[in-house]
Amino acid sequence: MVNFVLAGHDFGYEVQTAIQIFFPNRHYYPAVSVPPEGMVVKSVYTENSAEACLFIDGAPVAESVLDHSADISEKDKKHIIKEAVFNVLSKFTGYTPKWGMITGVRPAKTASELSAEGLSDREILEYFTGRFRVSEDKAALALKVSRAEKEILEENRPEDMSIYIGIPFCPTRCLYCSFTSYPIDRYAKKADEYIAALSRELRFIAENIKGRRIRSLYIGGGTPTSLSENQFEALIDSVCGNFDTESVEEFTVEAGRPDTITPNKLKAMRKAGVSRISVNPQTMNQKTLDIIGRRHSVEDIKNAFYMARAEGFENINMDLILGLPEEGIEDVENTMLEIESLSPESITVHTLAVKRASRLKENIFSYDLAAADDMDKMINLAAGYAEKMGLEPYYMYRQKAMLGNFENVGYCRRGCQSIYNIEIMEEKQTVIAAGAGGATKLYDPVKNELVRVFNVKSVEDYLARLDEMLVRKVKAFSLNRW
Ligand code: SF4
């Protein structure tokens, strides 16, 4: 637990997010005064300075004072308060985070926005490294990704939109998972009802988007291929029956878990025009697959990949996670060597995030997790392999509670970018989501604003309240420009 005390301001969010950079996965509580025990950050704002002091068991152990001018803006006031806390914790821990004070999830989007405001590349880099104390390599990464995203975004037409279809079933629950996902063996019957309800929602969406072009269509989860072959075919039939999949520029299925991929499901996808699939190993080390709760072998991953190749898939993505429990740099090296030999068109390299609703979080002290320095080495190692494989960074996002406060990066061969991933990160296009937990984003290009419309998360609620979800969508469609 970390307490914080505010004096002269009430920007608790800024103070808490600065603390989270250095001490993730704790509880953070505001206090009115410094308690005699535990770790406490006191943040004081006066008319000419922002100060932060760290107390351990009531005694001050580190301090930072930043002077400012009297007529400071609200935005700068928040910034300097956060910076003082950042300074004091960096001094105390001896740790300089690579992303500096950045706590947002979309640094490449920030770079794109600065570029749209007319800043040069040099000025954008200086913004990151100067104002936010980001390291030069991470600032360069944000800029590089924003350039790659721009190539795709420039092709957006006003009538374009994307569709996301969520299938919340999986074979087992992974140790680090925080999604609402249901074990398919216990929910097989419910999955039938789910496909029927989802088909209704897809028909409703199709009727409401006439005249629009679907630029990307994404079936994700969960694990869509955890459905039985019959259920999966019913899903694909419904998608093809409702949307003109032939004119869709990108059609992705996140096949995900290799033990759910069969030749018949691959054939159904090929027939429907699926252009991109994911086969997600996360790691190529058997001991780690066992720890994270996968019920398949490394060999199964390779077989699923070769099966997809044999069926003619020429754009295969593989998701990886760095910092999985008990993994060190040698394990990551082994994973990257195996992935290199498979030669997928893209890889998405995640940093492990310890999410609140995960089994990992519940049993956090049972596992040996990598320190920030080791994470940095693993991330650099994976980036080096990506380069060797001819893959370039093209999209990126950050999450709360990531080990070392690092990032997730998608690398791909030229021309194999996932349009959907970029659209979802840059938020410059309407994305309509169907299924339990779906978050629709209606983008207003004139106001440059998003309106979000949420579906309920649980499968039971979705089945019981589908009509209500459709009414929500109708209202949002009619009240907003998108
Ligand atoms: S495959 Fe993904 S959604 Fe399914 S349990 Fe694992 S992390 Fe969760």
Side-chain angles (χ1 to χ4, degrees), residues 169-181 221-223 254 256-257 282 294:
F169 304 104
C170 285
T172 55
R173 192 162 175 79
C174 302
L175 180 70
Y176 46 78
C177 182
S178 66
F179 298 111
T180 312
S181 157
T223 306
E254 198 180 359
R257 307 265 288 253
Q282 315 303 1
R294 295 291 186 102

PDB file of all heavy atoms in Angstrom, residues 169-181 221-223 254 256-257 282 294, ligand 1:
ATOM      1  N   PHE A 169     -15.032 -17.165 -25.488  1.00  0.00           N
ATOM      2  CA  PHE A 169     -14.808 -18.528 -25.004  1.00  0.00           C
ATOM      3  C   PHE A 169     -13.356 -18.930 -25.235  1.00  0.00           C
ATOM      4  O   PHE A 169     -12.749 -18.512 -26.227  1.00  0.00           O
ATOM      5  CB  PHE A 169     -15.722 -19.524 -25.728  1.00  0.00           C
ATOM      6  CG  PHE A 169     -17.178 -19.168 -25.623  1.00  0.00           C
ATOM      7  CD1 PHE A 169     -17.849 -18.598 -26.698  1.00  0.00           C
ATOM      8  CD2 PHE A 169     -17.870 -19.380 -24.434  1.00  0.00           C
ATOM      9  CE1 PHE A 169     -19.187 -18.255 -26.597  1.00  0.00           C
ATOM     10  CE2 PHE A 169     -19.221 -19.038 -24.328  1.00  0.00           C
ATOM     11  CZ  PHE A 169     -19.886 -18.473 -25.405  1.00  0.00           C
ATOM     12  N   CYS A 170     -12.831 -19.729 -24.322  1.00  0.00           N
ATOM     13  CA  CYS A 170     -11.445 -20.218 -24.442  1.00  0.00           C
ATOM     14  C   CYS A 170     -11.376 -21.647 -23.930  1.00  0.00           C
ATOM     15  O   CYS A 170     -12.244 -22.067 -23.155  1.00  0.00           O
ATOM     16  CB  CYS A 170     -10.502 -19.362 -23.592  1.00  0.00           C
ATOM     17  SG  CYS A 170     -10.184 -17.758 -24.327  1.00  0.00           S
ATOM     18  N   PRO A 171     -10.336 -22.389 -24.315  1.00  0.00           N
ATOM     19  CA  PRO A 171     -10.229 -23.758 -23.795  1.00  0.00           C
ATOM     20  C   PRO A 171      -9.971 -23.782 -22.286  1.00  0.00           C
ATOM     21  O   PRO A 171     -10.558 -24.582 -21.559  1.00  0.00           O
ATOM     22  CB  PRO A 171      -9.025 -24.346 -24.547  1.00  0.00           C
ATOM     23  CG  PRO A 171      -8.738 -23.415 -25.660  1.00  0.00           C
ATOM     24  CD  PRO A 171      -9.276 -22.079 -25.289  1.00  0.00           C
ATOM     25  N   THR A 172      -9.040 -22.940 -21.816  1.00  0.00           N
ATOM     26  CA  THR A 172      -8.757 -22.818 -20.377  1.00  0.00           C
ATOM     27  C   THR A 172      -8.476 -21.345 -20.123  1.00  0.00           C
ATOM     28  O   THR A 172      -8.357 -20.561 -21.074  1.00  0.00           O
ATOM     29  CB  THR A 172      -7.479 -23.594 -19.975  1.00  0.00           C
ATOM     30  OG1 THR A 172      -6.397 -23.130 -20.797  1.00  0.00           O
ATOM     31  CG2 THR A 172      -7.642 -25.084 -20.114  1.00  0.00           C
ATOM     32  N   ARG A 173      -8.353 -20.977 -18.864  1.00  0.00           N
ATOM     33  CA  ARG A 173      -8.081 -19.579 -18.551  1.00  0.00           C
ATOM     34  C   ARG A 173      -6.577 -19.396 -18.304  1.00  0.00           C
ATOM     35  O   ARG A 173      -5.994 -20.061 -17.435  1.00  0.00           O
ATOM     36  CB  ARG A 173      -8.867 -19.169 -17.306  1.00  0.00           C
ATOM     37  CG  ARG A 173      -8.874 -17.681 -17.063  1.00  0.00           C
ATOM     38  CD  ARG A 173     -10.003 -17.322 -16.098  1.00  0.00           C
ATOM     39  NE  ARG A 173      -9.952 -15.924 -15.762  1.00  0.00           N
ATOM     40  CZ  ARG A 173     -10.412 -14.959 -16.551  1.00  0.00           C
ATOM     41  NH1 ARG A 173     -10.938 -15.243 -17.708  1.00  0.00           N
ATOM     42  NH2 ARG A 173     -10.343 -13.706 -16.173  1.00  0.00           N
ATOM     43  N   CYS A 174      -5.948 -18.506 -19.039  1.00  0.00           N
ATOM     44  CA  CYS A 174      -4.520 -18.280 -18.855  1.00  0.00           C
ATOM     45  C   CYS A 174      -4.269 -17.564 -17.513  1.00  0.00           C
ATOM     46  O   CYS A 174      -5.101 -16.778 -17.065  1.00  0.00           O
ATOM     47  CB  CYS A 174      -3.948 -17.424 -19.979  1.00  0.00           C
ATOM     48  SG  CYS A 174      -4.183 -18.136 -21.611  1.00  0.00           S
ATOM     49  N   LEU A 175      -3.115 -17.828 -16.967  1.00  0.00           N
ATOM     50  CA  LEU A 175      -2.759 -17.288 -15.648  1.00  0.00           C
ATOM     51  C   LEU A 175      -2.907 -15.767 -15.571  1.00  0.00           C
ATOM     52  O   LEU A 175      -3.328 -15.220 -14.564  1.00  0.00           O
ATOM     53  CB  LEU A 175      -1.293 -17.671 -15.373  1.00  0.00           C
ATOM     54  CG  LEU A 175      -0.683 -17.233 -14.062  1.00  0.00           C
ATOM     55  CD1 LEU A 175      -1.294 -18.007 -12.901  1.00  0.00           C
ATOM     56  CD2 LEU A 175       0.838 -17.434 -14.075  1.00  0.00           C
ATOM     57  N   TYR A 176      -2.551 -15.076 -16.652  1.00  0.00           N
ATOM     58  CA  TYR A 176      -2.499 -13.606 -16.630  1.00  0.00           C
ATOM     59  C   TYR A 176      -3.775 -12.962 -17.149  1.00  0.00           C
ATOM     60  O   TYR A 176      -3.873 -11.749 -17.256  1.00  0.00           O
ATOM     61  CB  TYR A 176      -1.310 -13.121 -17.492  1.00  0.00           C
ATOM     62  CG  TYR A 176      -1.246 -13.826 -18.815  1.00  0.00           C
ATOM     63  CD1 TYR A 176      -2.086 -13.476 -19.856  1.00  0.00           C
ATOM     64  CD2 TYR A 176      -0.396 -14.926 -18.986  1.00  0.00           C
ATOM     65  CE1 TYR A 176      -2.083 -14.166 -21.050  1.00  0.00           C
ATOM     66  CE2 TYR A 176      -0.384 -15.639 -20.177  1.00  0.00           C
ATOM     67  CZ  TYR A 176      -1.229 -15.251 -21.199  1.00  0.00           C
ATOM     68  OH  TYR A 176      -1.238 -15.939 -22.371  1.00  0.00           O
ATOM     69  N   CYS A 177      -4.779 -13.781 -17.500  1.00  0.00           N
ATOM     70  CA  CYS A 177      -5.959 -13.251 -18.199  1.00  0.00           C
ATOM     71  C   CYS A 177      -6.893 -12.492 -17.260  1.00  0.00           C
ATOM     72  O   CYS A 177      -7.179 -12.936 -16.151  1.00  0.00           O
ATOM     73  CB  CYS A 177      -6.738 -14.390 -18.845  1.00  0.00           C
ATOM     74  SG  CYS A 177      -8.166 -13.792 -19.771  1.00  0.00           S
ATOM     75  N   SER A 178      -7.375 -11.348 -17.755  1.00  0.00           N
ATOM     76  CA  SER A 178      -8.348 -10.581 -16.971  1.00  0.00           C
ATOM     77  C   SER A 178      -9.626 -10.350 -17.773  1.00  0.00           C
ATOM     78  O   SER A 178     -10.494  -9.603 -17.353  1.00  0.00           O
ATOM     79  CB  SER A 178      -7.749  -9.232 -16.574  1.00  0.00           C
ATOM     80  OG  SER A 178      -7.546  -8.452 -17.731  1.00  0.00           O
ATOM     81  N   PHE A 179      -9.718 -10.984 -18.952  1.00  0.00           N
ATOM     82  CA  PHE A 179     -10.915 -10.792 -19.779  1.00  0.00           C
ATOM     83  C   PHE A 179     -12.078 -11.610 -19.220  1.00  0.00           C
ATOM     84  O   PHE A 179     -11.879 -12.552 -18.472  1.00  0.00           O
ATOM     85  CB  PHE A 179     -10.663 -11.263 -21.221  1.00  0.00           C
ATOM     86  CG  PHE A 179      -9.590 -10.509 -21.915  1.00  0.00           C
ATOM     87  CD1 PHE A 179      -8.381 -11.116 -22.217  1.00  0.00           C
ATOM     88  CD2 PHE A 179      -9.782  -9.189 -22.270  1.00  0.00           C
ATOM     89  CE1 PHE A 179      -7.374 -10.413 -22.855  1.00  0.00           C
ATOM     90  CE2 PHE A 179      -8.787  -8.483 -22.909  1.00  0.00           C
ATOM     91  CZ  PHE A 179      -7.586  -9.092 -23.201  1.00  0.00           C
ATOM     92  N   THR A 180     -13.275 -11.256 -19.691  1.00  0.00           N
ATOM     93  CA  THR A 180     -14.426 -12.086 -19.372  1.00  0.00           C
ATOM     94  C   THR A 180     -14.451 -13.192 -20.418  1.00  0.00           C
ATOM     95  O   THR A 180     -14.892 -13.000 -21.537  1.00  0.00           O
ATOM     96  CB  THR A 180     -15.727 -11.253 -19.450  1.00  0.00           C
ATOM     97  OG1 THR A 180     -15.506 -10.055 -18.726  1.00  0.00           O
ATOM     98  CG2 THR A 180     -16.900 -12.006 -18.884  1.00  0.00           C
ATOM     99  N   SER A 181     -13.876 -14.329 -20.055  1.00  0.00           N
ATOM    100  CA  SER A 181     -13.784 -15.433 -21.007  1.00  0.00           C
ATOM    101  C   SER A 181     -14.259 -16.719 -20.323  1.00  0.00           C
ATOM    102  O   SER A 181     -13.973 -16.940 -19.145  1.00  0.00           O
ATOM    103  CB  SER A 181     -12.327 -15.551 -21.468  1.00  0.00           C
ATOM    104  OG  SER A 181     -12.079 -16.827 -21.920  1.00  0.00           O
ATOM    105  N   GLY A 221     -11.359 -12.335 -29.378  1.00  0.00           N
ATOM    106  CA  GLY A 221     -11.959 -12.968 -28.193  1.00  0.00           C
ATOM    107  C   GLY A 221     -11.251 -12.608 -26.920  1.00  0.00           C
ATOM    108  O   GLY A 221     -10.682 -11.521 -26.829  1.00  0.00           O
ATOM    109  N   GLY A 222     -11.213 -13.568 -26.037  1.00  0.00           N
ATOM    110  CA  GLY A 222     -11.396 -15.006 -26.160  1.00  0.00           C
ATOM    111  C   GLY A 222     -10.615 -15.658 -27.310  1.00  0.00           C
ATOM    112  O   GLY A 222      -9.661 -15.111 -27.829  1.00  0.00           O
ATOM    113  N   THR A 223     -11.101 -16.808 -27.654  1.00  0.00           N
ATOM    114  CA  THR A 223     -10.513 -17.597 -28.728  1.00  0.00           C
ATOM    115  C   THR A 223     -11.634 -18.042 -29.665  1.00  0.00           C
ATOM    116  O   THR A 223     -12.313 -19.032 -29.375  1.00  0.00           O
ATOM    117  CB  THR A 223      -9.778 -18.842 -28.161  1.00  0.00           C
ATOM    118  OG1 THR A 223      -8.838 -18.416 -27.173  1.00  0.00           O
ATOM    119  CG2 THR A 223      -9.050 -19.603 -29.243  1.00  0.00           C
ATOM    120  N   GLU A 254      -8.683 -14.003 -34.956  1.00  0.00           N
ATOM    121  CA  GLU A 254      -7.675 -14.270 -33.939  1.00  0.00           C
ATOM    122  C   GLU A 254      -7.844 -15.723 -33.516  1.00  0.00           C
ATOM    123  O   GLU A 254      -8.575 -16.022 -32.577  1.00  0.00           O
ATOM    124  CB  GLU A 254      -7.934 -13.323 -32.754  1.00  0.00           C
ATOM    125  CG  GLU A 254      -6.769 -13.183 -31.840  1.00  0.00           C
ATOM    126  CD  GLU A 254      -7.092 -12.245 -30.693  1.00  0.00           C
ATOM    127  OE1 GLU A 254      -8.215 -11.698 -30.641  1.00  0.00           O
ATOM    128  OE2 GLU A 254      -6.214 -12.067 -29.854  1.00  0.00           O
ATOM    129  N   GLY A 256      -5.734 -17.644 -32.276  1.00  0.00           N
ATOM    130  CA  GLY A 256      -5.228 -17.670 -30.904  1.00  0.00           C
ATOM    131  C   GLY A 256      -4.614 -18.981 -30.499  1.00  0.00           C
ATOM    132  O   GLY A 256      -3.508 -19.322 -30.911  1.00  0.00           O
ATOM    133  N   ARG A 257      -5.351 -19.747 -29.716  1.00  0.00           N
ATOM    134  CA  ARG A 257      -4.753 -20.938 -29.103  1.00  0.00           C
ATOM    135  C   ARG A 257      -4.594 -22.047 -30.145  1.00  0.00           C
ATOM    136  O   ARG A 257      -5.564 -22.471 -30.773  1.00  0.00           O
ATOM    137  CB  ARG A 257      -5.654 -21.412 -27.965  1.00  0.00           C
ATOM    138  CG  ARG A 257      -5.986 -20.302 -26.963  1.00  0.00           C
ATOM    139  CD  ARG A 257      -5.062 -20.319 -25.799  1.00  0.00           C
ATOM    140  NE  ARG A 257      -5.316 -21.429 -24.928  1.00  0.00           N
ATOM    141  CZ  ARG A 257      -5.888 -21.305 -23.721  1.00  0.00           C
ATOM    142  NH1 ARG A 257      -6.282 -20.130 -23.280  1.00  0.00           N
ATOM    143  NH2 ARG A 257      -6.061 -22.358 -22.951  1.00  0.00           N
ATOM    144  N   GLN A 282       2.565 -17.086 -27.254  1.00  0.00           N
ATOM    145  CA  GLN A 282       3.002 -16.311 -26.069  1.00  0.00           C
ATOM    146  C   GLN A 282       4.426 -16.669 -25.667  1.00  0.00           C
ATOM    147  O   GLN A 282       5.208 -15.809 -25.326  1.00  0.00           O
ATOM    148  CB  GLN A 282       2.060 -16.457 -24.864  1.00  0.00           C
ATOM    149  CG  GLN A 282       0.572 -16.339 -25.187  1.00  0.00           C
ATOM    150  CD  GLN A 282       0.179 -15.035 -25.866  1.00  0.00           C
ATOM    151  OE1 GLN A 282       1.022 -14.197 -26.127  1.00  0.00           O
ATOM    152  NE2 GLN A 282      -1.091 -14.878 -26.191  1.00  0.00           N
ATOM    153  N   ARG A 294      -1.755 -23.282 -20.293  1.00  0.00           N
ATOM    154  CA  ARG A 294      -2.107 -23.755 -21.631  1.00  0.00           C
ATOM    155  C   ARG A 294      -2.075 -25.284 -21.594  1.00  0.00           C
ATOM    156  O   ARG A 294      -1.214 -25.869 -20.934  1.00  0.00           O
ATOM    157  CB  ARG A 294      -1.080 -23.245 -22.654  1.00  0.00           C
ATOM    158  CG  ARG A 294      -1.065 -21.744 -22.823  1.00  0.00           C
ATOM    159  CD  ARG A 294      -2.336 -21.288 -23.485  1.00  0.00           C
ATOM    160  NE  ARG A 294      -2.320 -19.874 -23.802  1.00  0.00           N
ATOM    161  CZ  ARG A 294      -2.096 -19.379 -25.026  1.00  0.00           C
ATOM    162  NH1 ARG A 294      -1.810 -20.182 -26.019  1.00  0.00           N
ATOM    163  NH2 ARG A 294      -2.165 -18.087 -25.247  1.00  0.00           N
TER     164      ARG A 294
HETATM  165  S1  SF4 B   1      -6.453 -17.020 -24.648  1.00  0.00           S
HETATM  166 FE1  SF4 B   1      -6.634 -14.833 -24.190  1.00  0.00          FE
HETATM  167  S2  SF4 B   1      -8.768 -14.531 -23.593  1.00  0.00           S
HETATM  168 FE2  SF4 B   1      -8.371 -16.737 -23.530  1.00  0.00          FE
HETATM  169  S3  SF4 B   1      -7.853 -17.152 -21.399  1.00  0.00           S
HETATM  170 FE3  SF4 B   1      -5.924 -16.808 -22.488  1.00  0.00          FE
HETATM  171  S4  SF4 B   1      -5.533 -14.600 -22.254  1.00  0.00           S
HETATM  172 FE4  SF4 B   1      -7.676 -14.947 -21.716  1.00  0.00          FE
END
